[in-house]
Amino acid sequence: MEQADTFPKMLVKNYEKYGDRKVAMRKKKFGIWQEYTWKGCYEKVKYFSLGLVSLGFEPGDKIAVLGDNDPEWYWAEYAAQAARGAAVGVYIDMTPPEVKYLVGHSQSRFVGAKDQEQVDKLLAIKDELPDLVKVIYWDPKGLGAYDDPLLMSFDQALELGREYERGHPGLFEDNVAKGKGGDTCAICYTSGTTGEHGKGAVVTYKALLEWIGAVISNCPFDDSWDYLSYTSPAWAVEQFCGMAAEQLTGFVVNFPEEPETVTENIREIGACFLIFSSRLWDSIASTVQAKISDTSAVKRLMFNLALPIGYRVADSKITGKRVNLLWQALHGLADLLVLRPLRDKHGLLKLNLAFTMGSALGPDCFRFFHALGVELRQVYGLTEQGIITIHGDDIRFDSVGVPALNTDLRITDDGEIVGRGEGVFSGYYKDPQATARVLKEDGFLHTSDAGYIDEAGHLIYLDTVADLVSLAGGENFPPQYIEGRLKFSPYIKDVMVVGGGDKD
């Protein structure tokens, strides 16, 4: 087989390398971790892909996937890609009209749905989606009495694939070999910033591998690592941090039992790699501080003595100052008695790599995690370009990092962040006008975000250009930046900063 430049090609190579000897995925069900080896995952993808082909799936077709983070979501996406198609992620909390828009706009002829709740959404709108061929569900609970011909279980699709292979030997391997790195592998719908609905960003394998390559160039991965798949694969972040990274590095992807059990599951598996939104990191920091305030006086005293030591050492590392032997000894004691148990309690003990994405994390919260011993890093990126800046060894609490590998970063005269690189998306699906507004002829992607580059080459993110507010004196201020600082307080769950031209 030629060079592995697509996820299905990488899956085949990993299957050949690891077979049944290494776990590829784990999913907690009914309190027990279910394990799937690389051979098991390969077979699921192969037969599901052939099942889709037997149902009429053709090159260029799409499968929309609607569900929680589960192995079946990954398998459905890889299977469609192996048949030279693409996946469209649908967020599980979307309403039937929103689901109808994404499935219809993306021209998805097949849908993978998790359970009865998601199936009911699709049955409610099926008459408005005349091109829909099959809805394939993977959790059969509550669906036993459903007899709609549109429906099929995941296991039934696998059996169709096994039967189809008997009459078409070698078809799966031929389809995989025909895939190219420049092919569309996913359409990731962004939030509806310019209207009622979001826009479908067309993403190729080449772009996703470029994105994860930017991360790995700063922080090498290991195939022994455990990763927790928490963010929805409908978001581009999971496409490269989960799928691209899994196939490129061979690490284990773990799926939580429920969204509510994430912290507990992180602790159980000892996650080595995490990527959370800034809101979740804020929430964890607030939880730590709130629980400390409710604990015994002795424990509060120990925490209040240990945390300043953590801050002192963290600040020294960030500024490149040497930590003397006294502070090293104090930090060792503080870590043993307080900081390490805190990391363990919140599932952060075995972390080798932790990122925050989405809106910028406030410097206070960022510094707090470093004081606890979590070497958190900021990443700034967009669905349309992936990783734009990233923290490598040079971590600064007030920045979102330096330009990623192969990325040209600039600030326009009006303060907008623009970037150019190999990871830029192929455009918005069926929307050339919207594509032209953000992707200029010179190849620079206009982010609509505001920021500046400091003297050390780090990007300081402020807010979206549209959300900068002018005061009476003509100065602009970034509400999101100020909100990020305020949310660090354990007494503030959320906050809105307001102002305007009639205020000083």
Side-chain angles (χ1 to χ4, degrees):
M1 184 179 291
E2 62 186 64
Q3 182 181 359
D5 55 356
T6 71
F7 295 167
K9 288 180 185 178
M10 292 178 172
L11 173 65
V12 172
K13 284 189 174 292
N14 284 322
Y15 156 64
E16 293 171 346
K17 178 179 180 180
Y18 298 116
D20 257 339
R21 300 183 306 277
K22 187 176 184 300
V23 173
M25 296 180 181
R26 292 192 197 95
K27 169 70 178 181
K28 194 170 188 184
K29 296 180 180 179
F30 309 113
I32 300 172
W33 285 100
Q34 310 289 330
E35 295 186 339
Y36 304 94
T37 65
W38 280 99
K39 178 182 178 182
C41 291
Y42 167 81
E43 291 176 346
K44 297 281 190 184
V45 171
K46 176 179 180 178
Y47 294 121
F48 191 75
S49 181
L50 291 173
L52 288 175
V53 173
S54 74
L55 291 168
F57 193 96
E58 299 176 350
D61 275 352
K62 274 84 66 178
I63 183 170
V65 190
L66 174 57
D68 286 320
N69 293 48
D70 286 318
E72 288 85 357
W73 181 312
Y74 274 54
W75 297 335
E77 176 161 335
Y78 294 153
Q81 293 166 347
R84 300 177 63 201
V88 178
V90 184
Y91 293 98
I92 197 166
D93 58 353
M94 283 187 162
T95 63
E98 291 171 325
V99 173
K100 185 196 78 171
Y101 173 76
L102 260 66
V103 174
H105 183 267
S106 64
Q107 299 174 299
S108 296
R109 297 176 62 234
F110 295 81
V111 175
K114 175 170 182 170
D115 53 18
Q116 183 182 17
E117 179 185 356
Q118 308 309 324
V119 166
D120 286 343
K121 293 178 185 178
L122 291 154
L123 292 180
I125 58 175
K126 68 175 184 177
D127 293 338
E128 302 172 76
L129 297 169
D131 296 327
L132 195 57
V133 175
K134 279 293 177 187
V135 173
I136 304 172
Y137 57 87
W138 63 84
D139 182 352
K141 184 178 179 181
L143 291 165
Y146 285 49
D147 60 357
D148 194 301
L150 185 67
L151 303 181
M152 174 180 286
S153 73
F154 196 90
D155 288 341
Q156 287 175 318
L158 292 177
E159 189 56 38
L160 272 183
R162 293 187 184 95
E163 292 177 6
Y164 199 72
E165 185 188 35
R166 285 191 277 272
H168 303 80
L171 177 62
F172 175 78
E173 291 76 12
D174 289 344
N175 284 341
V176 170
K178 290 175 182 176
K180 304 294 182 184
D183 293 345
T184 298
C185 64
I187 299 178
C188 299
Y189 278 81
T190 62
S191 59
T193 54
T194 59
E196 182 182 352
H197 299 293
K199 303 180 292 296
V202 178
V203 182
T204 64
Y205 299 104
K206 180 181 178 182
L208 288 175
L209 293 173
E210 183 73 23
W211 300 355
I212 194 61
V215 177
I216 293 175
S217 67
N218 286 276
C219 327
F221 285 34
D222 191 283
D223 68 359
S224 65
W225 283 12
D226 279 283
Y227 168 72
L228 185 83
S229 177
Y230 168 74
T231 57
S232 171
W235 194 24
V237 171
E238 184 66 16
Q239 290 287 326
F240 74 88
C241 277
M243 296 179 182
E246 177 200 26
Q247 297 302 331
L248 193 62
T249 69
F251 62 39
V252 183
V253 178
N254 299 270
F255 300 91
E257 187 165 20
E258 301 289 346
E260 296 77 20
T261 64
V262 168
T263 302
E264 175 189 335
N265 294 160
I266 291 173
R267 187 179 183 189
E268 286 180 273
I269 64 173
C272 305
F273 172 39
L274 287 177
I275 183 160
F276 284 160
S277 66
S278 59
R279 183 177 293 273
L280 185 53
W281 288 114
D282 276 323
S283 176
I284 294 172
S286 295
T287 299
V288 171
Q289 295 177 88
K291 287 187 175 181
I292 289 297
S293 66
D294 290 337
T295 193
S296 67
V298 174
K299 289 183 178 179
R300 280 201 306 275
L301 177 62
M302 292 177 65
F303 177 80
N304 291 331
L305 289 173
L307 191 62
I309 297 172
Y311 275 128
R312 172 71 176 258
V313 172
D315 290 342
S316 295
K317 288 180 179 179
I318 293 299
T319 57
K321 295 179 181 177
R322 183 176 176 275
V323 181
N324 62 39
L325 292 176
L326 174 61
W327 281 100
Q328 288 181 34
L330 290 172
H331 185 257
L333 186 62
D335 191 64
L336 178 66
L337 297 177
V338 179
L339 304 179
R340 179 184 174 88
L342 270 176
R343 295 198 303 275
D344 184 35
K345 185 173 181 63
H346 293 276
L348 308 175
L349 184 60
K350 296 183 180 180
L351 274 181
N352 292 313
L353 191 59
F355 283 113
T356 174
M357 283 197 76
S359 59
L361 186 66
D364 296 321
C365 187
F366 197 14
R367 182 169 174 255
F368 175 76
F369 278 103
H370 277 258
L372 291 185
V374 177
E375 197 171 280
L376 188 59
R377 301 164 188 255
Q378 293 245 37
V379 170
Y380 168 67
L382 299 173
T383 299
E384 294 83 354
Q385 192 175 346
I387 303 296
I388 298 176
T389 63
I390 184 172
H391 277 138
D393 294 331
D394 184 14
I395 299 174
R396 299 191 176 212
F397 297 138
D398 60 346
S399 87
V400 292
V402 297
L405 185 69
N406 300 325
T407 298
D408 185 3
L409 178 69
R410 297 181 187 175
I411 306 297
T412 64
D413 292 340
D414 60 355
E416 183 183 11
I417 303 166
V418 299
R420 179 173 60 184
E422 295 294 325
V424 172
F425 77 141
S426 301
Y428 294 118
Y429 189 62
K430 298 194 302 185
D431 198 341
Q433 290 80 17
T435 301
R437 285 196 294 270
V438 299
L439 190 58
K440 305 303 180 182
E441 293 180 358
D442 58 3
F444 275 94
L445 181 83
H446 286 243
T447 67
S448 298
D449 289 332
Y452 65 92
I453 299 173
D454 69 11
E455 66 282 352
H458 281 245
L459 176 65
I460 310 300
Y461 175 84
L462 296 176
D463 211 325
T464 62
V465 172
D467 288 339
L468 292 178
V469 179
S470 295
L471 296 173
E475 307 93 338
N476 289 333
F477 78 90
Q480 188 178 128
Y481 184 80
I482 299 171
E483 289 163 1
R485 302 298 294 265
L486 291 172
K487 280 190 290 186
F488 177 68
S489 168
Y491 307 108
I492 299 177
K493 183 175 180 64
D494 214 335
V495 60
M496 179 186 292
V497 174
V498 296
D502 59 336
K503 296 178 174 61
D504 295 331

Coordinates of all heavy atoms in Angstrom, one line a residue, residues 42 105 110 147 151 199 225 295 317 346 366 439 463 468-469 478 487 490:
Y42 N -10.5 -2.6 13.2 CA -10.4 -2.8 11.7 C -11.6 -3.5 11.1 O -12.1 -3.2 10.1 CB -9.1 -3.5 11.4 CG -8.9 -4.0 10.0 CD1 -8.6 -3.1 9.0 CD2 -9.2 -5.3 9.7 CE1 -8.5 -3.6 7.7 CE2 -9.1 -5.8 8.4 CZ -8.7 -4.9 7.4 OH -8.6 -5.4 6.1
H105 N -28.6 20.0 4.2 CA -27.6 20.9 3.5 C -26.3 20.1 3.1 O -25.8 20.4 2.0 CB -27.2 22.0 4.5 CG -26.3 23.0 3.9 ND1 -24.9 22.9 4.0 CD2 -26.5 24.2 3.1 CE1 -24.3 24.0 3.4 NE2 -25.3 24.7 2.9
F110 N -27.0 9.0 4.3 CA -27.0 8.0 5.4 C -26.8 8.7 6.7 O -26.1 9.8 6.8 CB -25.9 6.9 5.2 CG -26.1 6.1 4.0 CD1 -25.7 6.5 2.7 CD2 -26.6 4.8 4.1 CE1 -25.9 5.7 1.6 CE2 -26.8 4.0 3.0 CZ -26.4 4.5 1.7
D147 N -40.6 -0.5 13.4 CA -40.5 -1.3 12.2 C -40.4 -0.5 10.9 O -40.7 -0.9 9.8 CB -41.8 -2.2 12.1 CG -43.1 -1.4 12.0 OD1 -43.0 -0.1 12.2 OD2 -44.2 -2.0 11.9
L151 N -34.9 2.3 9.1 CA -34.0 2.0 10.2 C -33.3 0.7 10.0 O -33.8 -0.3 9.5 CB -34.8 1.9 11.5 CG -35.6 3.2 11.9 CD1 -36.3 3.0 13.3 CD2 -34.7 4.4 12.0
K199 N -22.1 27.2 9.0 CA -21.6 26.9 7.7 C -20.7 25.6 7.7 O -20.1 25.4 8.8 CB -20.7 28.1 7.2 CG -21.4 29.4 7.2 CD -20.6 30.5 6.7 CE -19.5 30.9 7.7 NZ -20.0 31.4 9.0
W225 N 0.1 6.2 25.4 CA -0.7 7.1 26.1 C -2.2 6.7 26.0 O -2.6 6.0 25.1 CB -0.6 8.5 25.4 CG 0.7 9.2 25.7 CD1 1.8 8.7 26.4 CD2 1.0 10.6 25.4 NE1 2.8 9.7 26.5 CE2 2.3 10.9 25.9 CE3 0.3 11.6 24.8 CZ2 2.9 12.1 25.8 CZ3 0.9 12.9 24.7 CH2 2.2 13.1 25.2
T295 N -13.7 22.6 53.2 CA -13.1 21.5 53.9 C -12.7 21.9 55.3 O -12.9 23.0 55.8 CB -11.9 21.0 53.1 OG1 -11.4 19.7 53.7 CG2 -10.7 22.0 53.1
K317 N 9.7 28.8 36.5 CA 9.8 28.0 35.3 C 9.4 28.8 34.1 O 10.1 28.8 33.0 CB 9.0 26.7 35.4 CG 9.5 25.7 36.4 CD 8.6 24.5 36.4 CE 9.2 23.4 37.3 NZ 8.3 22.2 37.4
H346 N -8.7 14.8 40.8 CA -9.4 15.3 39.6 C -8.9 14.7 38.3 O -9.2 15.2 37.2 CB -9.2 16.9 39.6 CG -9.9 17.6 40.7 ND1 -11.3 17.9 40.6 CD2 -9.5 18.0 41.9 CE1 -11.6 18.5 41.7 NE2 -10.6 18.6 42.5
F366 N -5.0 29.9 34.2 CA -3.8 29.2 33.5 C -2.7 29.0 34.5 O -2.1 28.0 34.7 CB -3.4 30.1 32.3 CG -2.5 29.4 31.3 CD1 -2.4 28.0 31.3 CD2 -1.9 30.2 30.4 CE1 -1.6 27.4 30.3 CE2 -1.1 29.6 29.4 CZ -0.9 28.2 29.4
L439 N -11.5 33.7 3.1 CA -10.3 33.2 2.5 C -9.9 34.1 1.3 O -10.6 34.0 0.3 CB -10.5 31.7 2.1 CG -9.2 31.0 1.6 CD1 -8.1 31.0 2.7 CD2 -9.6 29.6 1.3
D463 N -10.3 39.3 21.7 CA -11.7 39.1 21.6 C -12.0 39.0 20.1 O -11.1 39.2 19.3 CB -12.6 40.2 22.2 CG -13.9 39.7 22.8 OD1 -14.5 38.8 22.1 OD2 -14.3 40.2 23.8
L468 N -15.3 43.8 20.2 CA -14.6 44.9 20.9 C -15.5 46.1 21.0 O -16.3 46.5 20.1 CB -13.4 45.3 20.0 CG -12.2 44.3 19.9 CD1 -11.1 44.9 19.0 CD2 -11.7 44.0 21.3
V469 N -15.5 46.7 22.2 CA -16.4 47.8 22.5 C -15.7 49.1 22.6 O -14.7 49.2 23.3 CB -17.2 47.5 23.8 CG1 -18.2 48.6 24.1 CG2 -18.0 46.2 23.6
P478 N -11.7 44.7 25.3 CA -12.2 43.4 25.0 C -13.0 42.7 26.1 O -12.4 42.3 27.1 CB -10.9 42.6 24.7 CG -9.9 43.3 25.6 CD -10.4 44.7 25.8
K487 N -13.7 35.2 35.8 CA -14.3 33.9 36.0 C -13.4 33.0 36.9 O -13.8 31.9 37.3 CB -14.6 33.2 34.7 CG -15.9 33.7 34.1 CD -16.4 32.9 32.9 CE -15.5 33.1 31.7 NZ -16.0 32.4 30.5
P490 N -13.7 31.7 42.5 CA -14.6 30.6 42.8 C -16.1 31.0 43.1 O -17.0 30.2 43.1 CB -14.0 30.0 44.1 CG -13.3 31.1 44.7 CD -12.7 31.9 43.6

